[in-house]
Amino acid sequence: MDQAELRWRIRRDLTGLTLENALAGTGTTREAERHLAPWLKRAAAALDTPMSIEGLEDIAAQWRARRAPYMLANPDWADVIIAPPIPRTRPSWWWKLTRGEEPPPAR
């Protein structure tokens, strides 16, 4: 996986955690909102700038360790292997309108 995919997965974790806490918050989700959510926000912000493979591997390892106590529904979501960037095409206006700012998948 490349940096774009890692950023997308971390943001998805943050969105899922926020939504889960808002709908049916438990003690675990409230604790995760206090401890894990701020780190997820910082990591997603850090991933907005280009990083080296080693930097990405470091963030992935921290993400794996930090989410393990809280995100029990899909524990292997963070088991990722970092790879060099995948060449992606520029998103069309239709893609942005229907799917947001994430780039289209590599072909």
Side-chain angles (χ1 to χ4, degrees), residues 4 16 18 20 27 30 32 34 39 43 45 50 65 72 75 85-86 102 106:
T18 305
E20 187 176 335
R30 281 190 289 278
R34 269 193 315 276
W39 184 87
L72 305 175
I86 300 168
E102 292 299 322

Side-chain angles (χ1 to χ4, degrees), residues 2 4-5 8 13 19 24-25 34 38 55 58 62 69-70 83 93 100 107:
D2 66 350
E5 175 76 13
W8 180 79
D13 256 6
L19 183 64
R34 269 193 315 276
D58 184 45
Q62 288 181 37
Y70 306 112
W93 287 105
R107 294 179 192 192

